[in-house]
């Protein structure tokens, strides 16, 4: 090793290079962070991501071409209408996918609230001159349920909430419904010995309570069969 490397001049030169390298690195990092936060790199990222996957995903199995993802994006909202769509529209989608030969139809949506039936007019009838008898009642939930039943290959998302996270009134109602999920809100309130305010709460949330009980039953069934 040369003795020149230990001279003050060499040490000063090395320290200067280190400071310059740190300054360049910090400046580059700050510029990249700012550019990313302001969205300047988004166009570059979109243009390069496909190229990176093709170049570096040598050991990754190729993606399947048998999965179709139907997005509820701006284009869909423009053509179909604002969200939420009537569930009768989703039923039409299930029917179309079934006729197209889809093996499985999976919904990445939670149907955790009932959709109230609506009144519609026949096509071509003006609202201002319409008669009451011309209105027809549409039960969107029933239409979607029939489409799912007819398809036989549709999967729905579930939101699993354990009873341990529920309050005491909820747990009492769930305990009653677990014995008989067909009870109505008044019967649940009677058996759980709830007061007037609690009875109103159960009446408003009976659908969610029954859905929770059914989900618990399904998960228990899966656990026993696994």
């Amino acid at each position: 090793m040369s003795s020149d490397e230990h001279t003050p001049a060499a040490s000063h030169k090395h320290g200067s290079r280190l400071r310059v390298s740190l300054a360049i690195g910090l400046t580059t990092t700050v510029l990249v962070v700012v550019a990313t936060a302001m969205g300047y790199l988004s166009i570059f990222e979109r243009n390069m991501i496909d190229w990176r996957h093709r170049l570096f995903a040598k050991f990754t199995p190729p993606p399947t071409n048998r999965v179709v993802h139907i997005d509820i994006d701006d284009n869909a909202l423009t053509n179909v209408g604002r969200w939420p769509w009537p569930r009768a529209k989703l039923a039409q989608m299930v029917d179309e996918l079934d006729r197209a030969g889809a093996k499985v139809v999976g919904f990445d949506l939670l149907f955790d609230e009932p959709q109230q039936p609506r009144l519609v007019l026949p096509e071509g009838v003006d609202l201002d001159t319409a008669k009451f008898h011309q209105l027809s009642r549409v039960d969107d939930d029933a239409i979607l349920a029939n489409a799912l039943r007819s398809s036989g290959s549709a999967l729905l998302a579930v939101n699993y909430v354990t009873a341990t996270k529920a309050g005491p009134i909820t747990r009492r109602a769930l305990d009653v419904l677990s014995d008989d999920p067909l009870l109505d809100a008044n019967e649940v309130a009677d058996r759980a010995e709830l007061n007037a305010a609690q009875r109103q709460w159960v009446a408003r949330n009976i659908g969610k309570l029954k859905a929770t009980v059914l989900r618990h039953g399904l998960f228990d069934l899966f656990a026993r069969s696994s």
Side-chain angles (χ1 to χ4, degrees):
M1 181 178 294
S2 174
S3 60
D4 293 341
E5 295 180 4
H6 299 286
T7 63
S11 298
H12 178 73
K13 186 176 181 180
H14 178 74
S16 298
R17 288 179 178 175
L18 181 61
R19 287 191 293 271
V20 170
S21 298
L22 289 174
I24 292 175
L26 289 173
T27 302
T28 303
T29 301
V30 171
L31 289 175
V32 170
V33 170
V34 172
T36 302
M38 299 182 69
Y40 292 145
L41 299 181
S42 298
I43 297 176
F44 177 78
E45 170 67 12
R46 287 195 295 267
N47 292 333
M48 295 296 293
I49 188 169
D50 290 339
W51 177 82
R52 289 204 317 273
H53 281 300
R54 287 196 301 268
L55 186 63
F56 297 107
K58 298 297 184 182
F59 302 102
T60 302
T64 179
N65 60 355
R66 302 175 63 185
V67 176
V68 177
H69 194 271
I70 301 176
D71 292 315
I72 305 172
D73 54 12
D74 291 341
N75 184 51
L77 296 176
T78 299
N79 288 279
V80 179
R82 63 181 298 179
W83 185 262
W85 296 336
R87 290 177 184 170
K89 179 66 66 176
L90 300 178
Q92 293 177 5
M93 296 171 60
V94 172
D95 293 337
E96 289 290 338
L97 292 170
D98 195 45
R99 285 193 290 267
K103 299 296 184 182
V104 178
V105 177
F107 278 93
D108 189 17
L109 299 169
L110 281 176
F111 300 107
D112 54 350
E113 292 285 349
Q115 190 170 85
Q116 297 301 320
R118 54 196 169 93
L119 298 176
V120 298
L121 286 170
E123 187 175 352
V125 177
D126 185 73
L127 179 62
D128 295 332
T129 60
K131 305 298 183 183
F132 181 78
H133 70 272
Q134 293 177 297
L135 294 171
S136 58
R137 183 177 183 274
V138 176
D139 190 339
D140 288 278
D141 285 348
I143 294 173
L144 178 58
N146 289 333
L148 296 174
R149 189 179 301 109
S150 298
S151 172
S153 60
L155 301 176
L156 300 181
V158 296
N159 181 26
Y160 181 66
V161 180
T162 60
T164 57
K165 296 181 180 180
I169 304 305
T170 302
R171 285 198 295 269
R172 285 164 62 182
L174 292 177
D175 289 341
V176 172
L177 282 170
S178 63
D179 295 331
D180 188 355
L182 299 180
L183 295 175
D184 61 27
N186 289 328
E187 293 170 328
V188 172
D190 290 339
R191 297 193 185 187
E193 299 180 349
L194 303 180
N195 60 34
Q198 295 165 348
R199 296 175 73 94
Q200 292 178 1
W201 182 87
V202 168
R204 291 194 304 268
N205 294 275
I206 188 64
K208 291 182 179 180
L209 293 169
K210 289 189 174 186
T212 300
V213 167
L214 293 175
R215 286 196 296 267
H216 289 177
L218 286 174
F219 276 91
D220 292 341
L221 179 62
F222 293 154
R224 289 195 300 268
S225 61
S226 62

